[in-house]
Amino acid sequence: MRNIISVSVIIGIFIISVTTTSFAASLFQQRCAGCHGSTGNKHALGTSPLLKGQSKEDIIKKLNGYQEGTYGGSKKNIMQSQVKSLSDEQIEKLAEEISGF
């Protein structure tokens, strides 16, 4: 019985991990990759800094700034439309995904 419970817990943790990773990767592909490249290696609209190599903390700060309208230059409206509906948890997962590039 103990073995069954242990295996069930391990499988549950694995499923949560895969689902979270897949969610963040999918969110990035849907909302970000078109402009920033599939691994954050493209200058969006030819002007933005690369996402690749940025820390999770910096990405969270910038995404929150876009949501609040306190970060970004002349093209921030594009980013605001991409991030305005994201929850804090989604921003954290997305930033974790991006910082791994």
Side-chain angles (χ1 to χ4, degrees), residues 2 13 15 24 27 48-49 61 70 72 79-81 91 94-95:
R2 249 186 190 172
I13 291 170
I15 289 171
L27 187 60
S48 74
K61 181 179 174 183
T70 59
M79 281 298 299
Q80 284 177 317
S81 69
I91 286 176
L94 186 57

Side-chain angles (χ1 to χ4, degrees), residues 32-37 41-50 74-75 78:
C32 312
C35 293
H36 291 282
N41 60 345
K42 181 178 172 188
H43 296 280
L45 304 174
T47 60
S48 74
L50 296 178
S74 62
K75 297 178 178 123
I78 295 168

Side-chain angles (χ1 to χ4, degrees), residues 9-27 93 96-97:
V9 168
I10 291 170
I11 290 172
I13 291 170
F14 175 75
I15 289 171
I16 290 169
S17 174
V18 169
T19 302
T20 301
T21 301
S22 297
F23 167 77
S26 176
L27 187 60
K93 296 296 181 193
E96 191 172 305
E97 175 75 13

Side-chain angles (χ1 to χ4, degrees), residues 52-64:
K52 188 174 189 161
Q54 293 189 37
S55 72
K56 179 180 174 180
E57 294 76 20
D58 284 343
I59 294 165
I60 290 172
K61 181 179 174 183
K62 290 173 183 180
L63 292 176
N64 286 331

Side-chain angles (χ1 to χ4, degrees), residues 31 63 65-71 73 75-86:
R31 297 203 182 196
L63 292 176
Y66 280 123
Q67 276 189 327
E68 298 162 2
T70 59
Y71 180 81
K75 297 178 178 123
K76 72 179 171 185
N77 290 336
I78 295 168
M79 281 298 299
Q80 284 177 317
S81 69
Q82 292 299 313
V83 301
K84 68 181 176 184
S85 65
L86 296 178

